[in-house]
Amino acid sequence: MFLRRYWFLLGIPFFLSLTTVGPGIGVLPGIEPAPPTSRLRRPTSLVIQGQQLFVANRDAGSISVISTQSHQIQSEWQVGQRLSCMARLHHQNILLAVDEKQHRLHALKMDDTTLSELSRIDTGHTPVHVIADRAGEMIAVACLWARQIQIFQWHDNDSAPSLESRFTVDLPFNPRLQWLAPDDRHLLVADSHGGYLARINIRSGVLEQIFDLHVHSIRGLALNPGKTHLLITHQLLNNLAATERQRVFWGTVMENLVRAIPLADLLKPNTNPPSQIKSIAHWLQYPIGQPGNAAGDPGAMVVAANGEVFVCLCGTNQVAHDKNLYNQLTRHTVQQHPVALALDENQNFLYVANQFSDSISVLNRSKNRITQTISLGPTPPLTRAQQGETLFYDARLSLHGWYSCHSCHPDGHTNGLLNENMSDLKMDSPKQVLSLLGTGKTQPWAWTGRLSSLQQQVHKSIHVTMQGKESPLAHPDTEQALVAYLQNLPPAPALNVARKRNDVTAIAKGKAVFKAFQCHSCHPAPHFTSESNYDVGIHDEHGMTEFNPPSLVGISQRQRFFHDNRARRLSDVFTVFQHPFTGRNSSPTLSKENIHDLIEYLNRL
């Protein structure tokens, strides 16, 4: 039996089919037709099943269903609050979706244009990616702020299909993209902000190896046409190149690349402890873009059956492709911020999710052009902060489109690297890229603390760091919109909070240590920073010794410390560099017990 509802979207009628649940099927309540109201959907993930294209909408928490025959919207289903990724359970009509706000994994049955929920299960904090093995049994979820991979098993029981939690793997970095090797056993997990890659056995839940690729902003993973290399889209920041016009123009400051790493290197059995990070050096690289026509923020990739590689150029609102990455890629202009790609089953059409336009672009491969743009629904006027978000990810703010704000501050955080943007008014003294999460409440700005307003900092970033004064987007309205966006960015959640770990005794002791050793004099609550500069016993290349202290809120989600990244772990700050008892403060050092308790306290901030 079907309950048919006719609604109108943009003046076009479409109908939603709701199947009644028969006995023994065990479908959960909660998935309902989404009202056709004006709202931001923000598509973020695409899945093809038969003649339907399923679109996960981040902000609306819904899934839209589009016909790949008529290219019309057929239905929209309210699933959660903030959907970040979808995947199809192989050989089955089951769609997996993760909700990063509710921290939940949904298993949904796809029945033509209808979605119904079969099972749901809680995940770790902020699930941002989901992938399933080819056997349709094991599912891996990347949890961003918990720094964990959670592995679930799918039980295909007709009477009560369910998800079972099997393994939780802790990582030393914030994961995002996942890719499963052809052996259907080894899962490769990419760093969301920096350049790490982890290999996990999805069958046993064992972390086998961590690689350092010495890159950042990894946003695409795909198997090369020859099935011998893993293709990775990423950026490469040169910390020795000052952000002068000529260096930005020639791509010396920031490169946008596709790398090809031999699978043999990534899947080779490891004889060393997994905690020993291995550097990957043998690879091919394919620059995207050229002087005068750059290609900021390369993102999602898909490889067609004929070997053609398609790449989102997220920052310049384009999709590029060719069978040979050594060639200059053919580019097609799409709408704002393309983030996901999908080929239909016959591979005649490539679908592109344009996140900030709430639309899907359709590339007709035989005609080699964009032939249609599908609106996902009516949208309200953008707030100033929402305008700022679109600009934050727009590489056209920089000279010729080499990089966006997001390039150095992935999703508002930090790539953890050094950048010479002359914030100290001098060259050859690069400073750590600071996280922007919570930055609206941590004035002043820059390591020198010389900028007293956030708009001053944004203006400097556009005109000096990005050399974007020639951009038509470089004007005060843009600066004010970016300020509004940054002021709305919350701090990163503390690692131990995200992992639900709470050593009450150690935290209380750590708080007492923090107070006893006067840490609050430079890092007072509630934001744990100060408007003053302090000498902490270290200096830069020009002898500068006084720095503005970064906020300690969310410090557990960072990987390097001090202005020059000299401390690679939080514990090194106290053990190797004897902070804060260095230079003028020559008091006794903290004991091992003090350090342990202090770190437990900091990991809760």
Side-chain angles (χ1 to χ4, degrees):
M1 180 183 298
F2 292 88
L3 171 64
R4 300 185 178 181
R5 297 184 182 181
Y6 290 87
W7 280 337
F8 288 82
L9 180 62
L10 297 177
I12 302 173
F14 67 99
F15 91 106
L16 302 174
S17 299
L18 294 177
T19 56
T20 58
V21 180
I25 296 179
V27 177
L28 299 175
I31 304 303
E32 299 179 348
T37 55
S38 176
R39 59 178 178 165
L40 296 182
R41 288 166 175 81
R42 299 305 192 229
T44 189
S45 184
L46 303 175
V47 167
I48 294 281
Q49 161 72 5
Q51 295 183 352
Q52 272 75 39
L53 171 69
F54 292 84
V55 184
N57 298 313
R58 185 195 70 182
D59 288 12
S62 64
I63 295 177
S64 300
V65 185
I66 298 173
S67 167
T68 58
Q69 303 300 302
S70 66
H71 291 157
Q72 297 293 316
I73 294 178
Q74 297 176 304
S75 59
E76 183 180 355
W77 300 87
Q78 194 64 47
V79 176
Q81 294 185 17
R82 189 177 174 89
L83 301 186
S84 52
C85 185
M86 294 186 305
R88 179 185 167 193
L89 202 60
H90 292 269
H91 313 300
Q92 301 185 53
N93 61 336
I94 295 172
L95 186 66
L96 304 166
V98 287
D99 186 329
E100 65 178 277
K101 190 171 183 178
Q102 293 184 310
H103 317 300
R104 185 177 293 165
L105 168 64
H106 296 266
L108 310 168
K109 183 179 180 181
M110 298 178 286
D111 185 5
D112 196 23
T113 66
T114 304
L115 284 179
S116 53
E117 186 165 50
L118 298 176
S119 182
R120 67 172 69 168
I121 193 169
D122 290 341
T123 68
H125 201 291
T126 328
V128 291
H129 195 265
V130 59
I131 194 171
D133 69 358
R134 295 166 187 85
E137 297 175 352
M138 308 303 289
I139 300 162
V141 174
C143 300
L144 180 73
W145 295 120
R147 292 190 176 187
Q148 291 174 331
I149 299 298
Q150 285 193 299
I151 299 173
F152 301 90
Q153 186 167 5
W154 174 250
H155 296 289
D156 191 15
N157 186 323
D158 288 340
S159 61
S162 63
L163 293 158
E164 177 193 4
S165 179
R166 292 294 308 277
F167 310 108
T168 298
V169 183
D170 289 348
L171 294 172
F173 59 85
N174 304 101
R176 183 171 292 273
L177 297 187
Q178 303 173 100
W179 181 82
L180 195 61
D183 63 11
D184 217 24
R185 180 176 296 271
H186 289 103
L187 181 73
L188 296 175
V189 184
D191 191 338
S192 183
H193 307 124
Y196 290 115
L197 195 69
R199 186 179 75 230
I200 296 171
N201 189 315
I202 198 172
R203 304 290 173 185
S204 64
V206 173
L207 174 61
E208 296 181 340
Q209 180 68 67
I210 296 176
F211 304 95
D212 189 351
L213 309 185
H214 305 286
V215 301
H216 67 96
S217 297
I218 299 171
R219 284 297 185 268
L221 301 174
L223 187 63
N224 77 322
K227 303 187 186 308
T228 56
H229 290 68
L230 178 66
L231 300 178
I232 300 177
T233 60
H234 67 84
Q235 294 179 289
L236 188 62
L237 176 63
N238 183 350
N239 66 352
L240 300 178
T243 57
E244 299 174 297
R245 190 184 191 282
Q246 286 301 308
R247 298 189 187 190
V248 175
F249 175 87
W250 291 108
T252 306
V253 174
M254 183 82 73
E255 293 182 80
N256 301 288
L257 300 161
V258 176
R259 297 260 179 172
I261 305 179
L263 287 182
D265 287 352
L266 295 172
L267 302 180
K268 186 184 303 180
N270 182 36
T271 57
N272 298 317
S275 59
Q276 185 172 333
I277 297 174
K278 181 178 181 181
S279 290
I280 290 287
H282 302 289
W283 51 17
L284 301 170
Q285 67 176 30
Y286 307 95
I288 301 178
Q290 52 277 330
N293 187 28
D297 297 346
M301 281 186 297
V302 67
V303 179
N306 69 345
E308 193 168 15
V309 180
F310 295 85
V311 183
C312 283
L313 306 182
C314 308
T316 55
N317 305 331
Q318 296 169 315
V319 170
H321 63 98
D322 202 286
K323 288 186 178 180
N324 189 338
L325 291 174
Y326 280 118
N327 295 335
Q328 184 170 317
L329 303 183
T330 300
R331 299 197 204 181
H332 304 275
T333 298
V334 292
Q335 293 194 324
Q336 283 187 296
H337 198 51
V339 295
L341 302 172
L343 286 162
D344 72 328
E345 290 197 334
N346 296 321
Q347 305 213 337
N348 295 322
F349 297 99
L350 177 78
Y351 298 96
V352 185
N354 305 307
Q355 188 166 73
F356 295 141
S357 295
D358 274 15
S359 66
I360 306 296
S361 293
V362 183
L363 173 66
N364 185 313
R365 295 187 66 201
S366 63
K367 296 180 179 179
N368 195 30
R369 63 184 177 87
I370 302 294
T371 55
Q372 190 173 354
T373 300
I374 306 167
S375 171
L376 293 174
T379 58
L382 297 182
T383 66
R384 183 57 64 90
Q386 289 164 346
Q387 294 170 13
E389 182 185 23
T390 66
L391 291 162
F392 188 85
Y393 290 85
D394 199 329
R396 296 173 303 170
L397 258 180
S398 66
L399 180 66
H400 299 157
W402 278 105
Y403 45 95
S404 67
C405 306
H406 161 77
S407 299
C408 289
H409 303 277
D411 299 314
H413 197 37
T414 172
N415 58 18
L417 303 177
L418 303 178
N419 170 236
E420 180 50 280
N421 61 24
M422 299 167 285
S423 62
D424 54 6
L425 304 180
K426 297 177 181 177
M427 293 178 61
D428 302 320
S429 56
K431 302 291 190 295
Q432 182 200 85
V433 175
L434 292 166
S435 175
L436 299 180
L437 300 180
T439 192
K441 299 181 184 204
T442 59
Q443 69 275 6
W445 288 272
W447 280 97
T448 59
R450 70 182 185 86
L451 298 175
S452 58
S453 81
L454 192 49
Q455 186 162 345
Q456 285 179 327
Q457 176 62 58
V458 169
H459 179 88
K460 182 260 176 189
S461 295
I462 294 173
H463 288 262
V464 179
T465 304
M466 305 173 77
Q467 287 295 320
K469 55 182 173 290
E470 299 172 15
S471 170
L473 299 174
H475 50 72
D477 284 349
T478 291
E479 295 171 9
Q480 291 165 15
L482 283 167
V483 167
Y485 173 64
L486 294 175
Q487 287 175 331
N488 279 274
L489 288 179
L495 181 60
N496 282 355
V497 172
R499 288 182 175 177
K500 298 181 180 178
R501 297 175 183 173
N502 190 20
D503 187 338
V504 177
T505 302
I507 292 168
K509 289 182 178 178
K511 186 175 182 179
V513 171
F514 189 85
K515 182 177 181 181
F517 287 93
Q518 303 295 309
C519 301
H520 62 280
S521 63
C522 298
H523 299 278
H527 305 303
F528 294 88
T529 185
S530 170
E531 295 187 16
S532 302
N533 291 352
Y534 299 92
D535 182 351
V536 294
I538 57 178
H539 58 80
D540 70 2
E541 289 78 359
H542 296 289
M544 187 175 81
T545 58
E546 293 192 347
F547 303 91
N548 184 253
S551 172
L552 299 182
V553 177
I555 191 173
S556 55
Q557 299 290 2
R558 302 171 212 158
Q559 294 179 336
R560 296 179 176 89
F561 307 93
F562 294 126
H563 74 277
D564 54 3
N565 281 346
R566 66 179 64 192
R568 294 304 178 102
R569 291 179 296 273
L570 187 53
S571 59
D572 289 348
V573 171
F574 309 109
T575 57
V576 177
F577 299 102
Q578 304 290 305
H579 184 74
F581 307 112
T582 54
R584 298 174 186 173
N585 302 318
S586 56
S587 305
T589 58
L590 296 164
S591 68
K592 289 183 179 180
E593 182 181 0
N594 288 155
I595 292 171
H596 171 269
D597 295 337
L598 183 56
I599 290 176
E600 284 295 311
Y601 174 63
L602 295 175
N603 282 345
R604 294 285 301 183
L605 295 180

